[in-house]
Amino acid sequence: MIFDSEHETLPREALEGLQLRRLQAVVERVYHLVPFYRRRLDEVGVKPEHIRTLADLELLPFTTKQDIRDNYPFGMFAAPMEQIVRLHASSGTTGKPTPVGYTQRDLDTWAELIARTLTAGGVHRGDIVHIAYGYGLFTGGLGFHYGAERLGAAVIPVSGGQTRRQIMLIQDFGPNVICCTPSFALYLAEVGQEMGVDFKETKLRVGFFGAEPWSEAMRTEIESRLYLDALDIYGLSEIIGPGVGVECLEAKSGLHLWEDHFLPEIIDPATLERLPAGETGELVITTLTKEAFPLLRYRTRDVTSLTYNPCKCGRTLARMSRIQGRSDDMLIIRGVNVFPSQIESVLMDVPGVAPHYQLIVEREGHLDTLEVRVEVDEAVFSDEVKGLQTLAQRIERRIKDYLTVSVKVKLVEPRTIPRSEGKAQRVIDRRGQ
Ligand code: DLL
């Protein structure tokens, strides 16, 4: 099923014509309304009228998360507060959040794109949609909420947490659709099993799982335990939230990007050169229709590839492969973005702790765990066991306060963390193994 067959099945040539007109309009708009972009474009000597073809996109500078941080909180908005009706923030946990704003038209576009997303998974009016993404500053809950309503489906706005209660609602209210992170889906399966629930007996038919990396192996497991079709949904707050792309139910082969609103490119993160279709690199997105917070060539840091081959569902939009990783070192632990440098800064504030540490990420059952191994000085290490335990717990609490994730801290003897002559290997991620 296709929600907006006019835009989702446009012949490529017509689609590219639309993209070009929208690109020209957005460059014009940010040049006149966002001082940051005016400066950036002036620096490279590009004027809006220089954008004559889609290939001219390459003339434009990239935008990074750091640029958004430098203009905290609202310096990059292209609309005055009188026109902004919603604020969200990215799930990043570095001290300050990354705020994003929406005009009413942006919210309408977003709802429309989620309606398309749900339709690509066969959802329709009359269906009941269980939304277990967090409601709040995170874009997941409210993003899906308005899109499901736009489609005319009935929403259960349950948000995160209270797993047993959620399972009761799934049994009693009979949702056909579930939206949550893939790790939470598996957790539901586990808890359901403990409660003696047979998911075959529920009405669940399809799930939209995203906001964190997952794998084909996880898809197989979710599908066989929850008895539904598991679809991958991608998005990020800076661009709009969920609803940048989704797999279709027919093919489950790559995520269709809503290219009439978001212009994708793949670059080599080292050279910043554009890569041809099929090659793997960092996804860069230009928003084509956003009013409040348009972004030119935003570096998502997500690593993937694009294909423009037609899909059997009939959509002509580019398809993106499952996100393969991140071009920076950000870890996503149970949905929370964690940079090793943040852990480092907590560790470095603790007397007696050495700057040698390693982060070990594993998956226990279906939940991510993060162990922080850090060396302490001789004096601390020769202290009695109880002292070491208290210190480890203190560090665990500090990390929890700062990053909102629970970690396990293991204090180790001096010189036991492997040294490296090049870059230190700070992160050992065993989740994919
Ligand atoms: O996670 C928006 C979202 C909500 C997407 C619900 C899907 C469903 P942020 O908190 O800004 O926004 O995090 C964005 O999460 O750059 C990716 O690294 C990662 N991510 C999102 N979807 C996927 C996915 C939301 N399907 C960051 N696969 C992105 C892998 C994903 N990683």
Side-chain angles (χ1 to χ4, degrees), residues 112-129:
E112 182 96 2
L113 294 181
I114 292 287
R116 275 193 198 179
T117 298
L118 292 166
T119 307
V123 182
H124 49 74
R125 187 177 281 276
D127 276 336
I128 304 179
V129 183

Side-chain angles (χ1 to χ4, degrees), residues 65 89-92 133 138-141 144 180 208-214 232-238 241-243 255 300-302 320 322-326 330 332 335 337:
K65 188 149 184 133
S90 94
S91 63
Y133 283 114
F138 179 54
T139 51
F144 268 99
C180 63
F208 293 83
F209 305 115
E212 64 185 11
W214 57 308
D232 194 1
I233 160 145
Y234 172 77
L236 61 166
S237 343
E238 295 89 324
L255 291 83
T300 66
R301 311 283 169 169
D302 291 319
M320 169 182 102
R322 198 181 265 293
I323 299 290
Q324 292 161 33
R326 295 197 43 97
M330 188 178 87
I332 304 184
N337 301 349

Side-chain angles (χ1 to χ4, degrees), residues 289-300:
T289 53
K290 282 259 293 292
E291 285 188 335
F293 190 43
L295 288 172
L296 301 184
R297 303 191 86 194
Y298 183 66
R299 292 190 57 185
T300 66

Side-chain angles (χ1 to χ4, degrees), residues 1-52:
M1 277 190 295
I2 296 186
F3 184 79
D4 176 357
S5 48
E6 184 197 334
H7 289 102
E8 295 177 57
T9 62
L10 273 179
R12 290 295 312 176
E13 209 178 314
L15 176 63
E16 286 168 14
L18 177 69
Q19 288 176 324
L20 176 61
R21 287 195 300 283
R22 290 182 168 179
L23 176 66
Q24 288 167 328
V26 76
V27 176
E28 180 81 34
R29 199 176 145 74
V30 297
Y31 188 73
H32 290 105
L33 295 175
V34 184
F36 163 82
Y37 276 122
R38 160 74 67 121
R39 259 196 323 275
R40 272 290 163 88
L41 290 168
D42 283 347
E43 270 162 27
V44 292
V46 174
K47 296 257 177 284
E49 56 270 24
H50 293 160
I51 306 299
R52 294 190 195 96

Side-chain angles (χ1 to χ4, degrees), residues 44-102:
V44 292
V46 174
K47 296 257 177 284
E49 56 270 24
H50 293 160
I51 306 299
R52 294 190 195 96
T53 68
L54 277 185
D56 292 333
L57 186 60
E58 274 193 278
L59 301 173
L60 301 172
F62 292 104
T63 310
T64 63
K65 188 149 184 133
Q66 189 58 45
D67 294 325
I68 303 177
R69 291 216 176 101
D70 292 345
N71 289 282
Y72 182 83
F74 309 137
M76 289 186 53
F77 285 7
M81 205 42 82
E82 287 71 28
Q83 286 169 26
I84 301 227
V85 295
R86 177 92 68 79
L87 295 165
H88 278 285
S90 94
S91 63
T93 51
T94 15
K96 306 267 190 193
T98 307
V100 295
Y102 303 77

Side-chain angles (χ1 to χ4, degrees), residues 279-430:
E279 287 197 20
T280 298
E282 183 183 320
L283 177 68
V284 169
I285 298 178
T286 299
T287 65
L288 294 176
T289 53
K290 282 259 293 292
E291 285 188 335
F293 190 43
L295 288 172
L296 301 184
R297 303 191 86 194
Y298 183 66
R299 292 190 57 185
T300 66
R301 311 283 169 169
D302 291 319
V303 174
T304 180
S305 62
L306 297 178
T307 170
Y308 293 86
N309 294 339
C311 179
K312 67 175 174 193
C313 71
R315 290 180 182 80
T316 49
L317 305 163
R319 273 174 297 153
M320 169 182 102
S321 70
R322 198 181 265 293
I323 299 290
Q324 292 161 33
R326 295 197 43 97
S327 66
D328 56 13
D329 56 2
M330 188 178 87
L331 291 167
I332 304 184
I333 307 293
R334 284 171 250 129
V336 179
N337 301 349
V338 176
F339 285 89
S341 57
Q342 297 175 306
I343 304 251
E344 186 174 322
S345 67
V346 174
L347 294 176
M348 293 311 103
D349 270 339
V350 182
V353 169
H356 298 293
Y357 67 95
Q358 226 165 21
L359 308 181
I360 292 127
V361 192
E362 286 180 304
R363 185 157 281 152
E364 261 175 33
H366 300 298
L367 288 181
D368 298 333
T369 60
L370 175 57
E371 182 183 278
V372 179
R373 283 188 198 159
V374 61
E375 289 183 11
V376 288
D377 355 352
E378 216 79 65
V380 175
F381 198 75
S382 49
D383 198 2
E384 48 188 298
V385 178
K386 192 153 165 283
L388 279 178
Q389 265 175 2
T390 315
L391 179 61
Q393 284 164 359
R394 215 172 73 220
I395 302 174
E396 285 172 2
R397 265 200 311 277
R398 283 204 190 180
I399 294 177
K400 172 90 192 188
D401 286 345
Y402 183 54
L403 295 170
T404 74
V405 289
S406 303
V407 304
K408 187 168 163 17
V409 169
K410 189 167 167 196
L411 303 176
V412 298
E413 265 186 89
R415 289 172 301 281
T416 43
I417 303 276
R419 304 292 196 259
S420 151
E421 290 184 359
K423 282 178 192 285
Q425 198 196 355
R426 296 290 193 207
V427 180
I428 300 176
D429 196 336
R430 300 201 181 117

